Amino acid sequence: MDTMSAPPWLDSLLSSSFFTVCRTHGDAARSECNMYCLDCAGDPFCFYCRSSRHKDHQVIQIRRSSYHDVVRVSEIQKVLDISGVQTYVINSARVLFLNERPQPKSGKGVAHLCEICGRSLLDPFRFCSLGCKLGGVKRNGDASFSLEAKNGASMERREGFSGEEEDLRGGLQQQDIYPPTPPPPPSSARRRKGIPHRAPFGS
């Protein structure tokens, strides 16, 4: 596989076991190994190991959601093109999953499925996780993790899309605040004579 399509540390990241107790700092409060160094591409390490061994390196922090490893989009998108991967908002942060998650067979009528594992997706993405995108890169070669390729091919498209999105949001807000004006009554209604009133009873 071309290293331009996927960086050499990605396989190691996806096969690593996180949230084990650090052998060096096991008695410390923050001793769980939830850090990964992109420069060293070695084993996960804890908060204290980062300060002593990876101070000036590129490091990302892995988090947990329902016993599955996730990484914040704001961190991983600096080093990988994550286009095509389904993202989720968890605890007010946008994240994506490192690897596929087992699930029951998708029922009929599911609109979006992961191309690799078949997991149902909320939005029209191609993959459910970084691991499945890597599988797509290896299998089909029509996806890439290269930021250079992404920036060169989609800069204008992304700028145009964001402008359309802002216009759409503005239109929806305006419609919510100001209800539409009712249409004028038919012209025949304006030509009707006054409504007859019953004469008052005599005293």
Side-chain angles (χ1 to χ4, degrees):
M1 181 178 56
D2 186 2
T3 56
M4 289 298 291
S5 299
W9 49 260
L10 186 56
D11 267 314
S12 174
L13 169 68
L14 297 178
S15 60
S16 294
S17 297
F18 294 95
F19 297 94
T20 58
V21 177
C22 178
R23 295 178 181 178
T24 307
H25 305 101
D27 295 331
R30 302 172 68 178
S31 62
E32 57 185 11
C33 296
N34 63 344
M35 304 276 182
Y36 187 84
C37 180
L38 307 184
D39 295 323
C40 300
D43 294 329
F45 50 90
C46 75
F47 170 81
Y48 305 102
C49 290
R50 176 180 184 173
S51 302
S52 59
R53 302 177 189 174
H54 307 273
K55 188 175 181 181
D56 299 319
H57 294 180
Q58 276 189 307
V59 173
I60 59 174
Q61 181 178 351
I62 305 304
R63 293 169 167 81
R64 271 275 166 95
S65 174
S66 302
Y67 303 102
H68 296 284
D69 298 331
V70 301
V71 62
R72 283 187 175 179
V73 169
S74 59
E75 292 184 48
I76 198 68
Q77 69 182 1
K78 296 175 183 177
V79 293
L80 283 182
D81 173 10
I82 59 171
S83 60
V85 181
Q86 173 77 64
T87 61
Y88 302 85
V89 176
I90 300 174
N91 294 334
S92 302
R94 187 163 290 278
V95 303
L96 52 79
F97 286 87
L98 294 190
N99 292 293
E100 67 177 85
R101 295 161 291 148
Q103 72 163 7
K105 272 196 169 183
S106 302
K108 294 182 179 180
V110 177
H112 312 297
L113 296 174
C114 176
E115 294 180 7
I116 301 302
C117 71
R119 184 180 183 86
S120 59
L121 304 177
L122 301 177
D123 304 301
F125 289 96
R126 297 180 59 188
F127 309 106
C128 70
S129 61
L130 286 179
C132 281
K133 179 169 181 176
L134 182 60
V137 170
K138 292 178 178 179
R139 177 191 296 181
N140 305 320
D142 62 345
S144 172
F145 287 102
S146 170
L147 288 175
E148 287 81 5
K150 175 188 177 184
N151 292 338
S154 63
M155 182 69 73
E156 293 181 2
R157 184 169 66 249
R158 282 192 288 112
E159 288 177 353
F161 177 76
S162 64
E164 292 173 5
E165 189 178 26
E166 288 172 2
D167 291 343
L168 180 62
R169 284 203 306 267
L172 288 175
Q173 290 171 354
Q174 187 175 8
Q175 187 177 13
D176 290 341
I177 297 172
Y178 304 106
T181 305
S187 57
S188 59
R190 285 197 294 266
R191 291 199 299 266
R192 284 185 61 187
K193 295 181 180 179
I195 300 173
H197 296 278
R198 181 177 296 176
F201 293 106
S203 53

